[in-house]
Every structure is written in C-alpha cells, then in structure tokens.
Amino acid sequence: MIPTTMRSVLFAPGNQPDLLSKLPRSKPDSVVLDLEDAVPQTEKSAARSHTERIGAELAALEEGPLVFVRVNAVPSSYFLDDFAGVPAACSGVAVPKLESPEQVRQVIEQLDRHGFGQHLIIAGLETAAGVYRAAEILDSPRICAGYFGAEDFIADMGGVRTASNDEVSFARSAVALAARVAGVSAIDQIVSDFGDSTRFNAEAAQAKAMGYAGKLCIHPAQVELANSAFTPTAAEIDHARRLVSAYDAALANQRASIAFEGQMIDEALVRRARSIVAAQSTEHSSDIELEH
C-alpha cells in the first residue's frame, strides 16, 4: 500500500521526546523520527526507546500523519540495533545514503526479521553512488518514496553548496526521473534555514515543476509551506476540469488536439490535467495500491 500524498515530510531528533510528541501539530503528511545524523552517538540507545514508544503513540492517532523511523545507513554499526526502535504500528523506515539494490535487500531482510513484513521504505538518495544508481535502488515494491539529500550529496562529491542549487541540478533531476520510472514519490531536499520562507517557496515551486511530490521539512513552520506548494490551487483544479471536459468532448468528435483558452492542447498536456482531477477525487484516501 503506497501513500497517496507526501507533500510534507517532517523530521525530528529521536532523542528529544518533547519534539517527537509535538510533530502532528503542524499537520504534516508524514513524520520521521530520526535516529541518524540528528542524534549524537551517546544518545542512540535512548533515542531508540523514545522512537519506539512515541512512534507507536503517533501511529495510533486518528487522522494523524504517517510515521516513519529513520535508521542509520546500512554500513553503519548502528544499523542493526536501530530496528529495535521501530514501532510495529508505524508505516515503515527511512534509510539514508542507500547506494545499491543489495542494501535495499538488507533493509527488507531486517524488517522481515523483526516481523515488519508490511513496513515500507523511504529511500535516501544522497551520495554520488546513490544518485548514480537511483533507478535500480527505487525498483522495489517495498519502497514508497525516494528523497534527494543535497547536503550529503555535495559533501560526498567534495563540492560546495550554494543558494543557487546549480551544483545539484543534475542530481536533483536524476532522482525525480528515477522516482517517476519506479512509480514512487520523489521528495525534495531540505532548506536548512527554516526561517527563510522565500527560499523554501522558491525551491518548492521549482521542485514541483521538476516532478517532485513534496519536500523534506526540518521545522514545523515549513510544513504549511510545503502542503500549500504541492496542493493544486482552486484555480488550477477548475482549469484542469474544464480542460479535461473540453478534450473529452473533442475526442468524442474524433479530434485529438484542440485550442483551449489560447493554447493548443493534445494528450500530452491533458495528462497533467487528468492527474490533478484524479488527485482531488482521492484526496481523503490514506493510501492506494500501485504496481511497480
């Protein structure tokens, strides 16, 4: 079962129980209780206990967000122990820095070993090898989304992170393309300056244009921005419905291209409008079944 919407994916450190408990307040689509970078080595064990307990509480909320636990990377010495912090009732795990299909298989093996046969995986694509093999990595029925991690990617490349995003444009596009081919959601990079709403909105608009379905959030204030950016406006929905109606009428008269509000429309352009209309009809569903 694949989540229908992942517009906002909100992270919080697993060793800070007060923050974990407050995650649903900003109404994100998904929350990630983090055992990786946000947690110091001395706090790993405590973080697992907090995520197991609070994650179960969050997963039990009616109309609450989907709950994931981010474990440490597969080669990490913490990886195997982290599954003790994954609640049985949560949706799955987020796994950073995945670099091969074999690592995906190792994640699935651990999930199954712990009795989590239905748990899903959010795949972190944030190294050179991960982006290079993104299509192979995402080609698994257990993966529901892939996220691009710009900060780690540039660090791995030995490059320099800039506000322009020019240095990650190729990798960012590659992840969106791989996710589309795999039939899973692509989640865009973080904006580390959580007070810069202008930059967040600009990046979200760019990501939406590239085919991303949502954005990673590191602060509750970013959630509303992400939800708004990746939700069609009333005007977009109305335009899509009218376009689809006009095009279907044309098809009934054996015409496959039409002039609509000053623009020539064919099936390629109608496809986007159909997806907007379809999304509105399922916006209250929690999940749908997709085939890889």
Side-chain angles (χ1 to χ4, degrees):
M1 302 297 284
I2 309 294
T4 51
T5 54
M6 298 191 80
R7 301 166 302 175
S8 50
V9 181
L10 178 60
F11 282 69
N15 64 324
Q16 298 186 37
D18 289 346
L19 288 182
L20 298 181
S21 297
K22 295 175 183 177
L23 282 173
R25 293 185 182 180
S26 56
K27 301 190 182 306
D29 288 336
S30 301
V31 297
V32 178
L33 287 58
D34 195 6
L35 298 176
E36 196 218 4
D37 286 349
V39 178
Q41 293 183 11
T42 55
E43 291 284 300
K44 296 290 189 185
S45 179
R48 292 185 196 109
S49 297
H50 294 317
T51 59
E52 184 182 27
R53 176 177 60 84
I54 298 175
E57 294 172 358
L58 298 182
L61 293 175
E62 284 191 37
E63 299 183 5
L66 298 177
V67 178
F68 292 84
V69 173
R70 182 160 74 168
V71 298
N72 281 268
V74 175
S76 166
S77 60
Y78 303 111
F79 173 70
L80 295 179
D81 290 340
D82 282 348
F83 287 86
V86 178
C90 77
S91 295
V93 295
V95 186
K97 305 176 181 68
L98 282 169
E99 297 192 328
S100 69
E102 174 55 34
Q103 289 189 347
V104 175
R105 286 191 285 272
Q106 291 180 57
V107 176
I108 294 172
E109 179 181 298
Q110 289 306 312
L111 287 172
D112 292 349
R113 180 172 294 174
H114 286 78
F116 303 149
Q118 300 302 312
H119 281 45
L120 299 172
I121 301 168
I122 298 177
L125 302 168
E126 44 194 335
T127 66
V131 171
Y132 185 75
R133 303 188 69 182
E136 299 174 70
I137 291 167
L138 296 178
D139 187 23
S140 167
R142 295 290 288 276
I143 290 179
C144 63
Y147 72 81
F148 175 59
E151 313 302 324
D152 282 299
F153 174 77
I154 285 300
D156 187 44
M157 290 290 293
V160 178
R161 192 76 176 93
T162 72
S164 72
N165 285 320
D166 288 346
E167 71 282 2
V168 297
S169 60
F170 174 81
R172 200 175 172 200
S173 297
V175 170
L177 177 61
R180 175 59 180 165
V181 171
V184 301
S185 296
I187 312 301
D188 192 40
Q189 63 202 23
I190 68 163
V191 172
S192 57
D193 183 355
F194 55 80
D196 191 345
S197 59
T198 300
R199 176 172 177 178
F200 191 96
N201 286 333
E203 281 198 14
Q206 186 180 48
K208 181 180 179 181
M210 295 168 69
Y212 277 87
K215 200 154 176 63
L216 301 178
C217 302
I218 58 170
H219 190 277
Q222 295 178 328
V223 170
E224 183 178 356
L225 300 177
N227 287 347
S228 177
F230 292 95
T231 300
T233 65
E236 288 173 331
I237 295 167
D238 177 65
H239 179 271
R241 285 176 173 157
R242 289 186 291 104
L243 191 158
V244 169
S245 178
Y247 191 75
D248 286 345
L251 287 179
N253 289 303
Q254 288 76 51
R255 288 186 294 135
S257 64
I258 61 170
F260 180 78
E261 297 185 358
Q263 184 179 14
M264 287 304 299
I265 303 296
D266 60 14
E267 180 58 36
L269 294 175
V270 174
R271 215 172 289 138
R272 170 62 179 164
R274 291 192 193 281
S275 69
I276 291 174
V277 173
Q280 296 313 299
S281 66
T282 59
E283 65 179 348
H284 299 299
S285 300
S286 61
D287 47 49
I288 58 174
E289 201 164 352
L290 294 177
E291 293 181 357
H292 271 63

